[in-house]
Amino acid sequence: MSVIMESKNVSKQFGGLRAVDNVSTQVPEGSIFGIIGPNGAGKTTYLNLLSGAHSTTSGEFIFCGENITGNSVHKNAKKGIARTFQQIQLFDSMTVLDNVIVGFHKHEKSNMADAIFRTKRYWREEVEIRQKGIELLERLEMAEYIDQIASNLSYGMQRKVEIARALATSPKLLLLDEPAAGMNANETYTLLEFIKFIRTKGYTIIVIEHDIKFILNLCDEIMVLNFGQKIAQGTPSEIRDNKAVIEAYFGTGRVAKHMGVAKDE
């Protein structure tokens, strides 16, 4: 399996705080790759560096064989990196379809003059984008929600719509920042199955999440950060049994036993 993204000795320093410290990893194309760690471990900062929201202090990111270190979010989006955030950011008063259509506008060829004067090119492109939005929602088995107003949807369904909008940008790599945050058990399970389903459509996905059970049941490979450093990487079963991970992420004793990852010997 080929590597779609690689970080080489990536670090980020904010004043005296080293939020990401010399992190190297590779993400196989077509995989679901998880990043976990305690609060303040550097997970979101790492995602910000990869997406271009923050600049690296040192190290580099290679995406599809190209060095993208220092690129802006906009430039990386054009190269095929899409992202969702911890807080859902939908247009509440718009329909599901109209929210998804926003993602397609990245590919528009019409310019401001076309939009102002409502040229033939503008209308032709609007019709094409609308059809693409419908087709995407159909592929994601969300067609029944096309005309529903976003604010009327359940929290879990709103998260799916946000992911669908990110997919409308035609990404090669999808970054999900704590997608299960605030969800109940039912919604979390539905989201897990949805992300697995998305992978079958040919996307590579990186997920950061606090819910360790969610990550262990979702990902092919997991990287663990603690105080900005990578302390482990491996399959879910390898991470589950890793003593350094258990200590850093779960603690020991009663909590670890409750999670089913260790015994208090």
Side-chain angles (χ1 to χ4, degrees):
M1 191 178 290
S2 60
V3 172
I4 191 170
M5 192 285 293
E6 181 177 8
S7 65
K8 297 181 178 180
N9 307 115
V10 167
S11 295
K12 178 62 179 179
Q13 191 146 344
F14 296 101
L17 173 66
R18 205 166 180 82
V20 175
D21 189 1
N22 203 39
V23 174
S24 296
T25 192
Q26 293 183 336
V27 176
E29 187 174 10
S31 68
I32 302 178
F33 186 91
I35 302 176
I36 64 172
N39 285 332
K43 304 182 296 296
T44 295
T45 301
Y46 181 83
L47 226 59
N48 286 338
L49 296 173
L50 172 55
S51 67
H54 290 159
S55 59
T56 60
T57 300
S58 60
E60 59 186 23
F61 285 101
I62 308 297
F63 178 62
C64 294
E66 181 182 349
N67 192 329
I68 62 167
T69 312
N71 282 1
S72 66
V73 171
H74 180 68
K75 190 169 183 179
N76 280 339
K78 282 192 168 184
K79 291 186 177 296
I81 299 176
R83 179 182 177 180
T84 66
F85 295 86
Q86 293 177 25
Q87 299 298 321
I88 293 175
Q89 299 178 358
L90 295 178
F91 297 100
D92 289 343
S93 61
M94 290 168 54
T95 66
V96 168
L97 178 57
D98 286 336
N99 268 282
V100 170
I101 283 173
V102 170
F104 282 104
H105 283 294
K106 186 190 88 167
H107 305 291
E108 278 186 317
K109 295 182 176 61
S110 57
N111 53 37
M112 187 177 292
D114 290 316
I116 293 171
F117 296 107
R118 295 296 195 265
T119 63
K120 286 183 179 179
R121 179 165 73 167
Y122 170 82
W123 286 116
R124 184 174 61 250
E125 199 161 48
E126 286 299 304
V127 170
E128 289 173 355
I129 286 175
R130 191 169 188 83
Q131 185 57 38
K132 286 179 180 178
I134 292 170
E135 290 171 358
L136 174 61
L137 288 168
E138 287 175 343
R139 287 200 305 275
L140 296 177
E141 300 180 357
M142 296 170 63
E144 64 185 287
Y145 301 98
I146 281 176
D147 296 320
Q148 292 198 29
I149 301 299
S151 60
N152 293 338
L153 300 173
S154 68
Y155 183 82
M157 185 54 63
Q158 287 182 18
R159 181 65 79 184
K160 286 185 178 182
V161 174
E162 187 179 45
I163 292 173
R165 185 175 61 188
L167 295 178
T169 66
S170 301
K172 298 172 185 173
L173 178 63
L174 177 63
L175 311 179
L176 303 179
D177 190 349
E178 296 193 29
M183 290 188 179
N184 61 38
N186 237 7
E187 290 171 331
T188 299
Y189 175 76
T190 301
L191 178 67
L192 185 146
E193 292 301 312
F194 183 66
I195 296 172
K196 286 183 176 180
F197 173 67
I198 289 171
R199 193 259 291 275
T200 67
K201 301 300 181 182
Y203 298 102
T204 305
I205 304 166
I206 296 179
V207 187
I208 65 173
E209 184 54 66
H210 279 297
D211 187 335
I212 185 63
K213 290 182 179 179
F214 181 85
I215 288 289
L216 290 174
N217 285 298
L218 174 66
C219 298
D220 304 300
E221 194 168 356
I222 301 164
M223 176 172 71
V224 187
L225 299 179
N226 193 27
F227 295 110
Q229 297 181 331
K230 183 172 87 169
I231 61 170
Q233 182 169 330
T235 64
S237 59
E238 289 169 341
I239 295 302
R240 185 184 291 114
D241 297 332
N242 187 297
K243 290 183 179 180
V245 174
I246 293 167
E247 212 167 296
Y249 197 93
F250 304 107
T252 56
R254 189 163 57 91
V255 174
K257 287 196 289 183
H258 175 71
M259 295 300 294
V261 295
K263 293 181 179 180
D264 190 21
E265 300 295 351

